[in-house]
Amino acid sequence: MDKTDSIKVTIKKVKEQDFSIDTGLYEAVFESTDEEGNMIIMEGETKESPHSLVDIDVTVFGRFEKKAGGYVFKFESYNIEIVEFKIFLKMLGLKKESIESIISKYKYEDFVEMLNEHFLEELTLIKGIGRKTALKIVEKYKTYREMRILSENLSPLGFNINDINRIHQYFKEEGEEDFENVSFKITLNPYILLKIPGFDFHRIDEIALNNIGQIKSDTPVRIEEGIKHS
């Protein structure tokens, strides 16, 4: 049982997890079942949050190792493209049956294009998806896409996920649809975020001076906001 092997399992539970800042990976221990329903304990590293993998079917590659109490499957890799696709579908609120149906019929890029084009009728052809569910999926995808745009543009400036959630919620309530434009406005003048509850002058000022090149200590908008704050 020391040879490299591949097994198809359904991940049932995260037993342990730890995140390594050095590698940017999670070290995790999972409870899973194989296709015959046998319980298999797996250990390995994953770039995805371990809990996002729960209830997902995945083919893992590695080897069985004997430990106290039995064998553990030490996985070295897994079919990452399919796993990421399944996590994406799970995030959209799809159930396992629909996820497996989509995976068998579509590539990730084709399915995303269908969401972008709002092809609701094609969505309703998928097992377990009616028109009401299709509308919810498209709306969730729209939110996901908007959050991703904000994250890609603002995370490098020092904004965390909670900040991005606040920003998205505020501008969405203001009727904003173009989040590329929102990101651009924030990089030009981050002090516009001071009208959002949860942001204070010192935090925004630190980000502006340290991470946004065009904001200097004597930039007029900074002076104006500093006076208001004082």
Side-chain angles (χ1 to χ4, degrees):
M1 298 182 75
D2 59 348
K3 66 181 180 66
T4 300
D5 203 354
S6 68
I7 55 173
K8 186 175 181 179
V9 299
T10 301
I11 295 173
K12 296 293 186 181
K13 181 181 178 182
V14 179
K15 287 174 65 69
E16 299 174 26
Q17 74 171 52
D18 189 30
F19 181 74
S20 170
I21 296 176
D22 294 331
T23 64
L25 298 172
Y26 292 91
E27 298 170 3
V29 179
F30 298 101
E31 279 185 11
S32 60
T33 55
D34 64 15
E35 293 177 291
E36 286 74 44
N38 301 309
M39 177 66 71
I40 295 176
I41 303 299
M42 304 194 310
E43 295 180 358
E45 294 180 331
T46 168
K47 72 174 186 176
E48 290 78 25
S49 166
H51 288 281
S52 70
L53 298 170
V54 173
D55 292 329
I56 284 181
D57 296 332
V58 56
T59 300
V60 289
F61 305 89
R63 67 185 68 229
F64 283 97
E65 293 184 3
K66 193 168 185 179
K67 287 196 169 185
Y71 285 92
V72 171
F73 192 81
K74 299 277 289 186
F75 67 88
E76 299 166 357
S77 61
Y78 48 89
N79 50 346
I80 183 66
E81 294 84 4
I82 292 177
V83 168
E84 289 179 338
F85 193 4
K86 288 183 177 181
I87 291 173
F88 170 70
L89 295 173
K90 186 179 174 185
M91 179 274 301
L92 293 178
L94 287 158
K95 295 182 179 178
K96 189 173 181 179
E97 184 181 40
S98 299
I99 289 174
E100 293 304 322
S101 178
I102 291 167
I103 292 288
S104 67
K105 292 179 182 177
Y106 299 96
K107 292 182 179 179
Y108 172 79
E109 295 81 5
D110 296 334
F111 187 73
V112 167
E113 182 179 358
M114 185 165 62
L115 295 178
N116 281 325
E117 298 298 328
H118 295 188
F119 290 155
L120 296 179
E121 296 306 321
E122 189 169 347
L123 275 173
T124 60
L125 297 177
I126 298 168
K127 192 172 184 179
I129 298 179
R131 186 168 181 82
K132 187 176 179 181
T133 301
L135 286 167
K136 287 181 180 178
I137 290 169
V138 169
E139 190 58 35
K140 281 188 177 181
Y141 172 68
K142 185 180 178 185
T143 298
Y144 162 81
R145 186 177 58 189
E146 292 166 351
M147 290 286 291
R148 185 169 180 176
I149 289 169
L150 289 174
S151 182
E152 287 175 351
N153 286 287
L154 302 182
S155 291
L157 302 180
F159 293 100
N160 60 39
I161 188 62
N162 290 328
D163 298 330
I164 290 166
N165 273 321
R166 284 196 199 101
I167 292 166
H168 179 265
Q169 183 178 352
Y170 175 82
F171 282 99
K172 197 73 176 174
E173 289 173 356
E174 291 291 303
E176 183 63 66
E177 294 290 335
D178 185 350
F179 283 85
E180 286 284 3
N181 185 51
V182 169
S183 301
F184 180 67
K185 287 193 290 187
I186 291 170
T187 56
L188 283 180
N189 176 16
Y191 299 99
I192 64 173
L193 298 178
L194 294 176
K195 55 191 172 185
I196 302 176
F199 288 108
D200 64 71
F201 177 80
H202 293 294
R203 171 102 190 286
I204 296 302
D205 194 46
E206 182 181 2
I207 289 174
L209 290 176
N210 294 333
N211 302 333
I212 300 177
Q214 68 267 25
I215 303 292
K216 308 298 181 186
S217 60
D218 60 351
T219 298
V221 69
R222 177 179 183 264
I223 295 171
E224 180 181 343
E225 293 297 337
I227 291 170
K228 288 179 185 177
H229 172 72
S230 298

